[in-house]
Amino acid sequence: MRNHKTEMQLKEMATAIAETITIRTYKNGNSEDTKRLSNPQEKEIILNIAYGALLGMNCNEKNRTSDEIAQAIIDTAEYTVNRFLPDCNGYDTIYCPLKKAVREWNN
């Protein structure tokens, strides 16, 4: 069960997620992913999406305890980051870090 977090704690978690971005490029038909520090614009977008997802998981007891709701929120965050940052690999940039945050939150 995820415990309630303060908005400050959630903002810190989202800020950590937003530090890096994975960019997907293609070479000879194969994908190549490059992880790097996010620039200020990318960081703001990733931070806001991650923070929104974490707020959603924190907003009430049902959301804090439901793995299905958490998964839906994380899937939506991945989809959203891919819409705002088309060259971004949303899976590595936000999906995996949010899944890790939830695992740590549960412990």
Side-chain angles (χ1 to χ4, degrees), residues 17-105:
I17 291 169
E19 291 295 322
T20 60
I21 185 171
T22 300
I23 300 296
R24 174 157 286 175
T25 56
Y26 293 91
K27 186 175 184 177
N28 299 324
N30 297 314
S31 64
E32 271 187 31
D33 292 336
T34 305
K35 187 175 181 175
R36 62 168 170 76
L37 293 177
S38 50
N39 68 37
Q41 182 182 11
E42 294 163 340
K43 187 174 184 174
E44 182 178 354
I45 291 167
I46 297 165
L47 182 137
N48 286 325
I49 294 169
Y51 184 53
L54 293 167
L55 282 170
M57 286 186 264
N58 194 56
C59 72
N60 64 50
E61 189 63 28
K62 185 176 180 184
N63 290 11
R64 281 194 298 279
T65 60
S66 172
D67 291 336
E68 292 81 19
I69 291 173
Q71 185 63 51
I73 291 170
I74 292 169
D75 289 342
T76 302
E78 178 187 9
Y79 177 81
T80 304
V81 84
N82 285 334
R83 303 277 52 91
F84 281 92
L85 299 168
D87 294 332
C88 175
N89 174 336
Y91 180 78
D92 288 338
T93 299
I94 202 161
Y95 180 95
C96 290
L98 283 172
K99 291 291 276 189
K100 181 181 178 204
V102 170
R103 276 193 310 274
E104 292 172 359
W105 191 344

